[in-house]
Structures are given as structure tokens and as C-alpha cells.
């Protein structure tokens, strides 16, 4: 030991590694002692030698852990040839995990369950992967990031009412073992429960494990805590990425000998089924209708198997894997809307095929790309097909086809246009003047509408900027784009006749819409195919941000990218398979990431090589001050971070971090102690007392009222026919008409310099207003900057100050019909 | 007007006077318009015109005309985004493009029929809150929505007209360029165009920098390095400076890394 410093350090490192993974404490743990014994075993077997550094010793230990299986072939440190000692096989009969001490009589891992051992093995494998990856800081991820149980496993299950386990022991005839363990029925039954579940969940989980039951410390004057005092047993499931939602599990053929075992294992759930390949097999089918329910299958299996084999009643099991799905339910419809996304995408695919094959277009279409969030599966509430009911609307005067809302009826349901960008081929005929290009684009819109109507009978509405196409109940907003337009907008001719390129906001916006957004949409859609939990995670994250009235302060795309980052770079964890875990990690990313000093690099398709990443990092450090507060680099956008340029501001990010840390604490508490799950939506309810003024809105004119976190029990009928059967004489529905957004837009235009306005886009009933303190300093009179200020009568020098009364009155006038009342919460503005 | 408390007219800076506005007889003054007869240009009759600023966007021209009529009959009211001179006819703007309406506060020119003095204002202006005087809220948004439907034929006609004009202009330019092709001007310069027998390239910034770069490279190739002693001397010196600079940078980097180190063992 003295002449081998590497070993000493390696033991410490191993202990830290175990501690961060919560594996070193509790009964059946891989304690530091076992770790030290393992390393000395390796030394005696010459797997490591005395010249190795600590890092090498540690790596070799992990390698050994990853490659040997102590549940099948245990290891022994004993060298004595004494035949009276028990053999390894004897140990294997008595214990699940075998590691025999030098005397050859004690199993050091006697208490350890196979599930715990598998978890250690899994961790070792993952850690080796991180160690061999050169461009991440492995030290940080392996040894400094704690991996708590609830952040590692996709699905966490609690077994409460532990005394029920006593019955389990009786049922499984474990009385002898119970005696061996001094009556600790929790530990006795644990390994049997785990083996049953492992068998049942086999194809659906990567890893099934349990938290180590902890013995609490006790005072010297008191009796030690009993095993029956523990309040719950924690099971964790790490799910496979896609199979876990499969409703059908195929068993052995009906006439094979294994069928009996299968049938007795699954009980009455097992049934005979005939498959497409004409085989007749035993199978287990779970009754599910939509994807939300499919995600619940592991929970159903656990409940069923524990009830059947271990007599644990339903009431004793609490699964906290899918609690957050409820915030994505809209109205009375059940499900989290994955089906609607699929049908939007289907309809979009059909439209794009039609656009491609459109005959008689003057210029060929070179690409059709969608940019709507639903097309990248991350729209919080995806569009649903609508059929307007005629009596609810007025006909448009100019054309009978179109409908217009009526002032005395409630605002019609919001129809979100699905944006589609259509690039046209370049040609010498395109003009080289920005105004002419715009005119020509409008002409193309007209032509497109005519052709779609002629060839496919689709109803279209033309405006100079886009064509709205009403198809399958969805409204698609098709926009023609020409790839050189941005360059022409930027072009300025200098005095000496040279053509120069000048940065312009307009050109940047255009590039965002026609180049960056389509790319992002298709990439994320591809990524969603790889990680099905990505879309829902992003939707829950957006819902949370919106619920805290910050949706307008941070761009949707920024959230999408942050979530994609969680899936592409989950180290030291693995990519989440359940949306809830994804959201949990999203919150902790917000809280723990060092936004100021490190960039977020989202490496789509591994397009960025190591050298590129280093270059991005270097450029980031050298130009940090000019970059936005959140910096996200992608392969197509290496040094601009286009999606976070304007927003969020530093203050908003700060607020977001505070909210996230509070939500994280609450959520963690709720997930870890099932008795406290009173109301999971609590983290989706914003504190309203920080705002200076609250503008209460009339629900009658909130078109997305039903999307609210706490769904209104009654809301208004909004002019939608329920059955979606095609009508003989369809009318074009009201599109993209949301009075609240229009109101906010006007408020921001008129009073943006005095106040900030916050609103929950999804059915919020209140607009929060925060005065901007810097705008309240008196200013000298200037005829161009009066903007609602009044001359302060008290001052001698005729300074202008904002008039709060006038502003409050204006809030009411601007939102005539929409605003129900205005509530002042603070007197801060009184100077 | 206001029965209880007459709001005095206020002198504000820069030749403006403050005119408090209230929405009905009972309510307290709301906004404050600032009016002046100075700073006017000649397009409007000076002695009959009043220039008012700080008008909220929702107030219509009718409402202003009604409100100011208590000081004398009003000939015309113009609400604009920015102060500007009167144009002979209403500007012939495209009906379908450039429709960006600015929101926020506006200015107005009020022309009275008779001569008008600014000193006449003595009390608050009353704008009755009747529906047709204020354009805001649900009704405005619905009418905006209705207005967004356009006549496709008219749009097509406008585009055709514009494109015809544009094409005409382009053609003219081309003809002109062709005429100039190869013809020297007074001082003997020949304009090179993109068309013609030997077309020139367009002068863009990128092209320019590319040319400069090319030139620089050419010169660098010709240059003799390591020929004079001073060249070597400067070279070593530059190299040393570079190294020193890099060393400083690395030191800073390490300091930064140390500062942001997250290692907190228990």
C-alpha cells in the first residue's frame, strides 16, 4: 500500500464515484469497504500493477466491473486449497451476488440484490463511455455531478404500506429466509419482487433497480429504528427508448412447453392470439387508446404483477412516472395530443406532395418546408381540424366564402395557421430589386391559390404576404420564398457605385423564417423519431414557461434547442425516455448551467467535430460580452445564436432560474414522497403578487380559454362543429384571430417604454404589468418624445413625467370589450 | 364646462400649451394634449391651424373635430404619425403593400374656418366617449380582420402595373447601357457594363476584398524574405511578442477556469 500511491487515490476516487451515485449507503450497498477489497483483489490478480496511476487503476476497476458478472460467476479472494471450505457454486446457491473474502467463508456482497449489482454494472459501463469520450470533461461528469435516484430513472414507483410485504413473504413461502434476516420482511421480499418484475418488464426496460433501503441514525438513548418504520420502498425503471409503449407482448407459441410458464406468470392477462405470420401465440395485451395511456403500460404491468405474485394491493403502489401529462390535456378531450400532431403532419405531407406536383407554375418549386412547431412535434397544443358553424359568424362582404367573427358572440376558437415555406427556383427572370421581388411574390401567391383551387379543389385566401389554404380542417399558411431576397434587402449602393452589404433587421428576420427555421424544424422532427420523448418534454417545458407568463420573453425555438441538448448530451445520465424526467432535467439544466461562462452546443447529427467545438468555445470566451445571455450553437449557426439574440434578457433569465429552482424543489418533494402529491399542478401556478398592475380579461373573448392549466369547468361555445364529416358547402374559418394577442401587441407598441406586459398565451385570464423604473425619471420637454407623459406641475422646470392614471384608463379603452377590470397592486409609481 | 374645478390652461415649454382632456363631464382629466401654433410650415394656413401632439392612437378624426368645435367651427382634421407638411392630394400609396400602421401616439393638424388664437383655451377639452369616436377593442380588431380580405383582381392589377413599369425602367436602363457600351466620354473613360462583348463584373464589397487579397498575395510572393538583416530581426521580435501575448492569454484563461471551477467536494 505504501509503495502504491495510485491505489490509495483510486480507492478515494471510487468512493466518491459511488457516493455520487448513491450506491455506498444502506443495506445491500456497494460500500467503500467492498470497493477497497475489489481493488486489492485486482492487485492480487495482477489486473493492476504498482506503476499505474490512480486514473488507470480507476479505469481498470470500472472495466472489471463492467465485464464480469458476479451474479453468474462470482469472484473469490481465497487462495486456500482447503476442500472443507464452501465452493463458489455453494455461494451462488445461497446468494445472488458473490464476492468471497480472503478467508473463503464470508460473502462480502451477501446483502446485495442482483438489481443493485446490475445498476453498478450499468453505471460502470456508462462511466467508461464518458471516460473514452475526449471532448467532454469527464472528471466533472463522473465525479462532481450527483446522480440522485429520481433524476436517473424514467419511472419511479413507491411501495407504501410496507407491512403488506409481510404477507408477501408468507405467500412466497420465505419463512426461512425471513428468519435469516431477523424478521426484516422488506429486505427478504425485495429480491423476489425484483426478480418477478425483471421478468415481466424484461423487453421494456434497460435497467430495473431499487433505491437502497436506508437505516436512519438514532439517538443513543432511544431504541434503534425498526425495519417496519421505513415509509416506502423505491423502485426505479430506466425504460428502453421506444419499445416500452408497445401495448402487445408476444409470448411463446401456444403448443410449446414454455406456454404454461408464461400463462402462470401473467395470470388471466395472458391470452391466445393469432398473428399475421399465422402463428398462434400466447400474448399479453394492454388496453390503451392513446399515447398518453401507452406511456402508462409499465405502471400497469407493475401493478398487475405485484398484485398477482406478491399480494401487494393496488393502493400500496404509487407510480410517479406520468404525473405531468395532465397539463397537456385540452378541454374534455383526453390524451396529450400526439395523435393530433401525427394527423397534422400527415395532412402537411399530403399538401407538400400536392405543391410539388402542381402543374403550370411559372417557376418550379424547389423545396417545401414546414416551420410550424407542430411539424417538429413541439407545439404545446397542436392544431385540431375545425369546421366552423355558419350561424356563429358573419359572411365577409367581399366574398361569400370567408367568415368574420361577430362582436356580440364569444370570440371563435383560435385556429393557428401552419406555416409552410415554399422556395422557388432561381431564374434570370427574378428582378434584382427588393420591392419588385415582393410584388412578384404576391403574384406567385395569387397564382398558387388559383392552381390549388383548380387542380385540387382547395379553398384559399390570398394576401400579399401569404396564401392560406384550408385543407382537412387545418389552415396552412404557404409563403413563397426566394433565396436571394435577403441579399437584395441588405444591398446598398455606396457613393462610389460599389455594392455593399449592410446588416438589416428585416433581412435577418427573413433569413430566420426562410432558412434557419425550416432547418431547425426538419432536424428536430428527425430527432423526435430517435427520441420519442423529446416532443412531449419540450411541450411540458413550454407549458411551464407560458404558465409563468414568460412565453413572450423567451423564444419557442430556444426552449426546443435546450431540450434537444438534454437528449443529445445527457452525460452523466442517459437520454430520458419519459417526458416527465426530461422536464425534470430541463429545470435542473436551467438552474445549474453556468450561463455566463459556458456555451450550450447542440450537436445535431454529430456535424460538429472536436476541433469545431473547441473553436466555438474559444470564440465564445473571447466575445462573451457581445453575445446574448443564453448562447446556443448549432452546426448551422456556430457563432450567432440566432434564436436567443433579442430575448430573453438577463433579468428574464434570472427570473426563470429562480422559478425553476423553486419548481424543482417542489417537484422533487412531490415525486419522492407520494403522500405529498396533493396537486401536481402547483408548479404551474404563477405567483401574481410581483406585478404592479393586473389586467383581468373577460373569458368570453379569450379564444384559448380551454387550454388553461386549471381548466375552466364551463367555457363558451366557440363556433366549432364537433363532427368533422366533410360539408357540402364549406366556408373558410376565422384564422389567427386572437384578441388578447392583438391587445398585447397594441399595449406593447404604445406603452412598451413604460411597462412590461406578461401573459400566459394558453388561456391566461390575467395580464401582469410591471412598470419600468427607468422610464419614470422626469425628462425635459421634447415634442417627439411626449408619448403619453404629462408636464409635472410641481416642478419649476417643466419636466415630463409619465401619467399613470392616463395609462390605466388607456389600458381599459384599448381593450374595450376584452378587459373586465384593472387592479392596481402597488403604489411604486408614485414618485 | 367643468362645473366644480376649472382646470387651468398650462403653459408648457417650447411654445406649447397643455390642454387637459377628459372623457366625460364627470371624469377627471385623462390625457394632456400639447398644442401650439408655432413650428408650422406654409402648407397650412398659419393663423387658422393648430398643431396638437400626444394624441392616443384610438382617437378618431371625427372625435377631435367634435371636441374642438366648441372653440370655433373646424374645417379639417388630419391625424398623422409624424409631423409633416400637407401633401396636395392624399399620397398615392399602394393599397396592398406598405400598410404598416404605426401604433402609439400621433399628432394632428386642426384647421379652423376662422382665425384662431391659442390663448382661447381656458378649460379641459371634453371628448365624449361615444362609440363612433373611439376606435378600439374587439370591434376594431374585428374590422381589422375584415379589412385583411383583399380583392385579388385589384391586387393582380396593381402588381401587373408595377411590374410593367419596372420592366420598362429596366429596359430603358439596358438600352442606355448599350448606347454607352464602348463609347468614351469627354475625358476618355469607357464605362464597362455586364452586357456587351467583354462584360465586366459587378463591383461588390466581397469582390473588392477578394481583389485586394489577391493583390496582396501576389506582392507577398514577389517579396524577398530573410534577405536583409532587419527583416530577420523584426521577425524574431514579432515571434517573441506573439509568444508573450499567448502566454498572457493562457494565464488569463487559467485564472478564469480556476474562478469558475465547480469542484465542491462535500
Amino acid at each position: 500500500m505504501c509503495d502504491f500511491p495510485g491505489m490509495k487515490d483510486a480507492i478515494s476516487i471510487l468512493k466518491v464515484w459511488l457516493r455520487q451515485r448513491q450506491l455506498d449507503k444502506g443495506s445491500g450497498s456497494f460500500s467503500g469497504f467492498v470497493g477497497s477489497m475489489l481493488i486489492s483483489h485486482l492487485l492480487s490478480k495482477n489486473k493492476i500493477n504498482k506503476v499505474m496511476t490512480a486514473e488507470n487503476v480507476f479505469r481498470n476497476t470500472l472495466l472489471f466491473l463492467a465485464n464480469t458478472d458476479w451474479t453468474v460467476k462470482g469472484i473469490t479472494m481465497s487462495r486456500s486449497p482447503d476442500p472443507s471450505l464452501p465452493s463458489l457454486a455453494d455461494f451462488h446457491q445461497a446468494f445472488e451476488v458473490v464476492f468471497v473474502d480472503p478467508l473463503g467463508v464470508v460473502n462480502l456482497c451477501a446483502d446485495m440484490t442482483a438489481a443493485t449489482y446490475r445498476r453498478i454494472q450499468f453505471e460502470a459501463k456508462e462511466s467508461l463511455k464518458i471516460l473514452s469520450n475526449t471532448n467532454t470533461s469527464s472528471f466533472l461528469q463522473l465525479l462532481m455531478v450527483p446522480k440522485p435516484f429520481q433524476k436517473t430513472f424514467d419511472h419511479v414507483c413507491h411501495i407504501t404500506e410496507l407491512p403488506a410485504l409481510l404477507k408477501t413473504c408468507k405467500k412466497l413461502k420465505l419463512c426461512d429466509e425471513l428468519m435469516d434476516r431477523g424478521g426484516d420482511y422488506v429486505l427478504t421480499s425485495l429480491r423476489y419482487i425484483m426478480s418477478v418484475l425483471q421478468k415481466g418488464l424484461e423487453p421494456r426496460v434497460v435497467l430495473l433497480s431499487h433505491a437502497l433501503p436506508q437505516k436512519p441514525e438514532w439517538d443513543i438513548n432511544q431504541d434503534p429504528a425498526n425495519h417496519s418504520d421505513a415509509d416506502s420502498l423505491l423502485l426505479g425503471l430506466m425504460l428502453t427508448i421506444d419499445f416500452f409503449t408497445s401495448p402487445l407482448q408476444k409470448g411463446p407459441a401456444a403448443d410449446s412447453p414454455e406456454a404454461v410458464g408464461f400463462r402462470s406468470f401473467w395470470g388471466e392477462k395472458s391470452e391466445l392470439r393469432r398473428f399475421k405470420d399465422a402463428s398462434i401465440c400466447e400474448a399479453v395485451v394492454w388496453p390503451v387508446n392513446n399515447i398518453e395511456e401507452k406511456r402508462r403500460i409499465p405502471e400497469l404491468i407493475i401493478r398487475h404483477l405485484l398484485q398477482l405474485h406478491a399480494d401487494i394491493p393496488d393502493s400500496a403502489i404509487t407510480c410517479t412516472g406520468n404525473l405531468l401529462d395532465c397539463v397537456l390535456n385540452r378541454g374534455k378531450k383526453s390524451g396529450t395530443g400526439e395523435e393530433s400532431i401525427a394527423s397534422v403532419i400527415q395532412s402537411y405531407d399530403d399538401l407538400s406532395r400536392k405543391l410539388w406536383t402542381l402543374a403550370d407554375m411559372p417557376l418550379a418549386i424547389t423545396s417545401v418546408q414546414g416551420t410550424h412547431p407542430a411539424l417538429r412535434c413541439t407545439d404545446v397544443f397542436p392544431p385540431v381540424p375545425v369546421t366552423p358553424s355558419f350561424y356563429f359568424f358573419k359572411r365577409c362582404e367581399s366574398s361569400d366564402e370567408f367568415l368574420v367573427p361577430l362582436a356580440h358572440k364569444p370570440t371563435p376558437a383560435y385556429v393557428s395557421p401552419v406555416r409552410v415555406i415554399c422556395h422557388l427556383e432561381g431564374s434570370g427572370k427574378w428582378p434584382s430589386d427588393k420591392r419588385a421581388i415582393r410584388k412578384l411574390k404576391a403574384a406567385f401567391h395569387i397564382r398558387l391559390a388559383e392552381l390549388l383551387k383548380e387542380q385540387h379543389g382547395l379553398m384559399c385566401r390570398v394576401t400579399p404576404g401569404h396564401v392560406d389554404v384550408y385543407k382537412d380542417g387545418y389552415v396552412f399558411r404557404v409563403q413563397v420564398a426566394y433565396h436571394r431576397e435577403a441579399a437584395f434587402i441588405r444591398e446598398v449602393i455606396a457613393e462610389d457605385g460599389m455594392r455593399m452589404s449592410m446588416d438589416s433587421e428585416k433581412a435577418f428576420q427573413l433569413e430566420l423564417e426562410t432558412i434557419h427555421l425550416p432547418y431547425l424544424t426538419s432536424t428536430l422532427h428527425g430527432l423526435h423519431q430517435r427520441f420519442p420523448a423529446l416532443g412531449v418534454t419540450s411541450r411540458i417545458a413550454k407549458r411551464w414557461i407560458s404558465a409563468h407568463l414568460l412565453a413572450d420573453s423567451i423564444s419557442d425555438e430556444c426552449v426546443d434547442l435546450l431540450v434537444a441538448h438534454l437528449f443529445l448530451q445527457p452525460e452523466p445520465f442517459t437520454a430520458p425516455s419519459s417526458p416527465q424526467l426530461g422536464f425534470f432535467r430541463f429545470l435542473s439544466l436551467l438552474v445549474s448551467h453556468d450561463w455566463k461562462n459556458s456555451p450550450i452546443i447542440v450537436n445535431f447529427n454529430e456535424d460538429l467535430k472536436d476541433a469545431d467545438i473547441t473553436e466555438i468555445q474559444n470564440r465564445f470566451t473571447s466575445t462573451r460580452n457581445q453575445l446574448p445571455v443564453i448562447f446556443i450553437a448549432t452546426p448551422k449557426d456556430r457563432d450567432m445564436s440566432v434564436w436567443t439574440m433579442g430575448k430573453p434578457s438577463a433579468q428574464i433569465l434570472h427570473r426563470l432560474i429562480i422559478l425553476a429552482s423553486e419548481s424543482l424543489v417542489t417537484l422533487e418533494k412531490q415525486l419522492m414522497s407520494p403522500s405529498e402529491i396533493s396537486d401536481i399542478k402547483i408548479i404551474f401556478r404563477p405567483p401574481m403578487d410581483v406585478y404592479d398592475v393586473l389586467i383581468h380579461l373577460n373569458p368570453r373573448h379569450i379564444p384559448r380559454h380551454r387550454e388553461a392549466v386549471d381548466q375552466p369547468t364551463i367555457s363558451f361555445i366557440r363556433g366549432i362543429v364537433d363532427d368533422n364529416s366533410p360539408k357540402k358547402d364549406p366556408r373558410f374559418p376565422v384564422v389567427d384571430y386572437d384578441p388578447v394577442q392583438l391587445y398585447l401587441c397594441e399595449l406593447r407598441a404604445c406603452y412598451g417604454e413604460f411597462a412590461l406586459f406578461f401573459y400566459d398565451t394558453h388561456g391566461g385570464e390575467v395580464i401582469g404589468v410591471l412598470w419600468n423604473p427607468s422610464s419614470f425619471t422626469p425628462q425635459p420637454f421634447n415634442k417627439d418624445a411626449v408619448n403619453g407623459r404629462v408636464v409635472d406641475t410641481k416642478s419649476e422646470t417643466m419636466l415630463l413625467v409619465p401619467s399613470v392614471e392616463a395609462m390605466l384608463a388607456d389600458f381599459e379603452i384599448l381593450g374595450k370589450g376584452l378587459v373586465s377590470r384593472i387592479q392596481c397592486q402597488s403604489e411604486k409609481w408614485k414618485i | 364646462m367643468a362645473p366644480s374645478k376649472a382646470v387651468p390652461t398650462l403653459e408648457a415649454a417650447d411654445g406649447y400649451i397643455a390642454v387637459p382632456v377628459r372623457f366625460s363631464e364627470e371624469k377627471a382629466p385623462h390625457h394632456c394634449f400639447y398644442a401650439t401654433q408655432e413650428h408650422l410650415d406654409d402648407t397650412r394656413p398659419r393663423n387658422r391651424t393648430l398643431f396638437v401632439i400626444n394624441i392616443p392612437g384610438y382617437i378618431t378624426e371625427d372625435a377631435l373635430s367634435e371636441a374642438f368645435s366648441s372653440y370655433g367651427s373646424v374645417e379639417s382634421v388630419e391625424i398623422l404619425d409624424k409631423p409633416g407638411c400637407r401633401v396636395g392630394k392624399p399620397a398615392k400609396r399602394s393599397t396592398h403593400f406598405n400598410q404598416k400602421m404605426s401604433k402609439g401616439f400621433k399628432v394632428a393638424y386642426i384647421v379652423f374656418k376662422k382665425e384662431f388664437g391659442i390663448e382661447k383655451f381656458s378649460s379641459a377639452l371634453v371628448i365624449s366617449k361615444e362609440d363612433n369616436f373611439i376606435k378600439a377593442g374587439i370591434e376594431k380588431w374585428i374590422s381589422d380582420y375584415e379589412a385583411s380580405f383583399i380583392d385579388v383582381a385589384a391586387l393582380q392589377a396593381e402588381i401587373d402595373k408595377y411590374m410593367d413599369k419596372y420592366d420598362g425602367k429596366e429596359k430603358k436602363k439596358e438600352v442606355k447601357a448599350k448606347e454607352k457600351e464602348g463609347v468614351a466620354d469627354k475625358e476618355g473613360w469607357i464605362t464597362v457594363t455586364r452586357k456587351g462583348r467583354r462584360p465586366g463584373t459587378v463591383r461588390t464589397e466581397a469582390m473588392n476584398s477578394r481583389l485586394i487579397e489577391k493583390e496582396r498575395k501576389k506582392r507577398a510572393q514577389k517579396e524577398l524574405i530573410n534577405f536583409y538583416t532587419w527583416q530577420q530581426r523584426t521577425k524574431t521580435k514579432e515571434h517573441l511578442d506573439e509568444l508573450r501575448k499567448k502566454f498572457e492569454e493562457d494565464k488569463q484563461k487559467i485564472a478564469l477556469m480556476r474562478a469558475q471551477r465547480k469542484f465542491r467536494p462535500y
Side-chain angles (χ1 to χ4, degrees), chain A residues 17-69:
Chain A
W17 183 80
L18 288 167
R19 167 74 64 92
Q20 297 290 26
R21 280 151 186 73
Q22 295 186 343
L23 285 166
D24 65 333
K25 270 186 184 164
S27 41
S29 65
F30 194 95
S31 62
F33 170 63
V34 182
S36 318
M37 290 307 271
L38 172 63
I39 290 181
S40 49
H41 170 73
L42 292 181
L43 188 62
S44 67
K45 288 273 172 193
N46 291 329
K47 297 255 182 191
I48 51 177
N49 55 49
K50 294 193 172 182
V51 290
M52 279 184 169
T53 58
E55 196 199 335
N56 279 332
V57 175
F58 178 59
R59 189 194 285 263
N60 274 320
T61 314
L62 290 184
L63 203 65
F64 182 74
L65 273 174
N67 292 337
T68 47
D69 191 349

Side-chain angles (χ1 to χ4, degrees), chain A residues 461 499 746 788 791 809-810, chain B residues 30-31 34 54 58 140 203:
Chain A
R461 179 190 147 192
R499 283 163 201 263
E746 280 184 12
V791 171
D810 274 2
Chain B
H30 176 95
H31 269 294
Y34 294 92
N54 202 19
Y58 51 81
K140 179 189 172 234
R203 268 186 79 200

